[in-house]
Amino acid sequence: MKKRNSVLLSTPYILWMIAFTLIPLGVVAYYSLTDPSTGAFTWGNLVNLRMYLPVMWQSILYSLAAAFICLLLGYPVAYYIAHTGALTQKILYMLVMLPMCMSFLLRTLAWVGLLQDTGIINNILAALGLSRLQMIRTPGAVVLGMVYNYLPYMILPLYSTIVKIDDRLIEAAEDLGCTPVQTFARVILPLSKPGILSGITMVFVPAVSTFYISQKLGGTDTVLIGDVIERLFKQGNNPNLGAALSLVLMLLVFVCTGIMNRFGADKEGGVIA
């Protein structure tokens, strides 16, 4: 009876996954493995992806850079929030989540207004008698946009992991003569590894597939995988090639998720000596 109830309760979720995950994945796989003119099975779409290898590597590089910067910025913030009072934690947690309640489009356009040649920052520099800087239409602006938009995805899993670390372990390390640096390296950092892996994955996955940030903050040479997919569907009249590129991107996402599940969740709570 209990097993039957569990099946009934999980039925809506299973139907949802079939309708909005498995079927769309099947459609993408079908188009990526068929010829656009004849509809026959072919590997040609996947073979033609060789011309987009530089774009793929550039997307991965930018996304890894954004994830690494988010880790450097997010870890101290998450650590500080986790070691404040209960009321302060709630307030700071809300402030971290607050930008996520705003439109992604508006957040990105705000940086356009800040970084453009006649934007706020350059106008301030000009008023101070300094020369204007070329900040927009650069790779740095694209990475900055990724960091700003996806930094909460790094802070939240880190906070959730760090706040669960038992303070008695830190006290024991200090009683055994560990310096603050040794305590962090031998106790805190290993115990927060699941949050680090989860945060890196949650930043990398949306960053590697983004296209709006690169279009608004990047230049003509800043083309990412998402930009190519959009052009193939909207302008290139080649949805099959776009589907093939989308399939490769989905496989990359699955690999990242698998790595996170394999090396993150199963070792939570362990300490590296």
Side-chain angles (χ1 to χ4, degrees), residues 242-260:
L245 192 55
S246 301
L247 184 63
V248 173
L249 186 59
M250 285 190 294
L251 292 176
L252 180 61
V253 171
F254 290 153
V255 169
C256 294
T257 306
I259 292 175
M260 180 189 71

Side-chain angles (χ1 to χ4, degrees), residues 112-137:
V112 175
L114 288 170
L115 301 178
Q116 62 184 352
D117 299 334
T118 57
I120 297 175
I121 297 178
N122 273 320
N123 286 339
I124 294 175
L125 293 176
L128 296 175
L130 303 174
S131 59
R132 296 177 180 268
L133 300 176
Q134 176 64 43
M135 293 179 288
I136 204 168
R137 299 183 299 277

